[in-house]
């Protein structure tokens, strides 16, 4: 893979390239290198960029086209999920146990994946941002036990979803529905196309439209 010179982040102060320059293959690659410092991460998300790489590789930064998103208006809750929600067997909390949420997201087995993209550096970086109030978690409890949840970056009226997990059926869906329906966000970024989230109402938005909407909502 040939990486344009302008994509290499040589120093902590090297700016990201304009997102319109992102590669088509791999979809959305916009930069390589740099670090996961709070300033770098905040700058990235403000521009619609997020880190996504494998352990022991340099940090890779993406802004894919199109971008999968969801809004409260497009949220779809199936009949079976509505029935589960009405049972009141789950308790929802916010920011009550972020460290366990991210560690579950890091370690949980996922279909078709041998490993996760969440390495120790990412855990440390997002834990630091959580302490600053930039990263938020939603937790699902059953009989006082943590059974599901998600975490992501919050900015203005936008939530950038990072990862979710379930230890029992539907737990991550319940966390996701609560996030979209009840937490005041006008746009939830789901990053790339995902059939699981698509079934809940997520849809693809062209990158330029996503960036325009992001700029509007960051100010709210």
């Amino acid at each position: 893979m040939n990486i344009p010179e302008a994509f290499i982040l040589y120093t902590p102060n090297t700016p990201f390239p304009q997102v319109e320059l992102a590669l088509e293959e791999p979809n959305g690659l916009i930069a390589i290198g740099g670090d996961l410092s709070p300033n770098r991460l905040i700058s990235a998300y403000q521009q619609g960029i997020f880190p996504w790489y494998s352990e022991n590789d340099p940090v890779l930064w993406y802004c894919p086209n199109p971008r999968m998103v969801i809004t409260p208006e497009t949220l779809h809750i199936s009949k079976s999920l509505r029935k589960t929600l009405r049972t009141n067997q789950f308790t929802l909390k916010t920011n009550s146990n972020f460290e366990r949420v991210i560690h579950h997201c890091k370690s949980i087995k996922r279909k078709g994946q041998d490993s996760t993209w969440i390495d120790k550096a990412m855990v440390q970086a997002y834990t630091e941002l959580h302490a600053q109030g930039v990263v938020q978690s939603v937790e699902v409890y059953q009989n006082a036990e943590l059974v599901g949840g998600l975490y992501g970056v919050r900015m203005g009226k936008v939530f950038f979803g990072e990862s979710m997990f379930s230890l029992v059926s539907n737990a991550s869906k319940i966390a996701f529905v609560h996030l979209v329906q009840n937490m005041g966000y006008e746009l939830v970024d789901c990053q790339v196309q995902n059939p699981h989230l698509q079934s809940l109402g997520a849809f693809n938005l062209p990158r330029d439209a996503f960036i325009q909407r992001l700029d509007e909502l960051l100010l709210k």
Side-chain angles (χ1 to χ4, degrees):
M1 179 171 59
N2 293 323
I3 302 295
E5 182 75 15
F7 281 25
I8 301 175
L9 305 177
Y10 286 107
T11 73
N13 297 319
T14 303
F16 287 106
Q18 294 297 309
V19 295
E20 308 87 66
L21 300 175
L23 300 182
E24 293 184 8
E25 184 59 41
N27 182 13
L29 181 65
I30 188 62
I32 182 170
D35 58 22
L36 297 176
S37 67
N39 287 343
R40 173 65 77 184
L41 284 168
I42 289 170
S43 174
Y45 283 98
Q46 287 172 339
Q47 298 173 68
I49 299 168
F50 58 87
W52 189 19
Y53 63 99
S54 299
E55 193 169 11
N56 300 319
D57 287 345
V59 182
L60 301 177
W61 303 88
Y62 287 85
C63 186
N65 185 30
R67 193 71 164 248
M68 178 151 274
V69 299
I70 191 170
T71 69
E73 294 77 19
T74 66
L75 177 66
H76 172 72
I77 306 174
S78 67
K79 289 182 180 179
S80 61
L81 185 56
R82 286 187 187 277
K83 184 177 179 180
T84 300
L85 289 167
R86 285 197 296 268
T87 64
N88 295 320
Q89 61 180 298
F90 298 104
T91 301
L92 285 142
K93 296 183 180 180
T94 303
N95 290 330
S96 67
N97 211 331
F98 171 78
E99 289 190 4
R100 282 190 65 199
V101 169
I102 194 170
H103 280 288
H104 275 304
C105 289
K106 179 180 186 297
S107 60
I108 197 164
K109 299 286 186 181
R110 300 177 191 273
K111 186 177 180 181
Q113 295 181 2
D114 295 328
S115 62
T116 177
W117 67 93
I118 304 171
D119 64 4
K120 290 181 180 178
M122 292 194 82
V123 170
Q124 181 178 348
Y126 285 86
T127 300
E128 187 172 352
L129 282 180
H130 176 258
Q132 296 181 17
V134 179
V135 164
Q136 189 171 47
S137 62
V138 178
E139 301 93 17
V140 179
Y141 293 84
Q142 186 177 46
N143 300 322
E145 292 292 325
L146 180 67
V147 295
L150 58 84
Y151 76 94
V153 175
R154 56 190 296 264
M155 290 184 175
K157 290 293 185 178
V158 183
F159 186 90
F160 301 87
E162 276 298 313
S163 188
M164 59 176 63
F165 78 97
S166 283
L167 300 181
V168 301
S169 180
N170 287 322
S172 64
K173 285 185 179 180
I174 289 167
F176 188 75
V177 167
H178 178 69
L179 168 76
V180 177
Q181 193 172 52
N182 302 321
M183 294 183 64
Y185 295 110
E186 295 186 28
L187 186 72
V188 174
D189 173 34
C190 305
Q191 297 182 345
V192 295
Q193 188 161 343
N194 177 313
H196 171 68
L197 296 180
Q198 204 165 5
S199 71
L200 289 165
F203 61 98
N204 281 329
L205 196 63
R207 182 170 53 218
D208 56 353
F210 170 76
I211 296 299
Q212 180 179 351
R213 190 71 178 128
L214 175 60
D215 289 342
E216 295 167 356
L217 294 177
L218 288 178
L219 299 176
K220 288 193 173 185

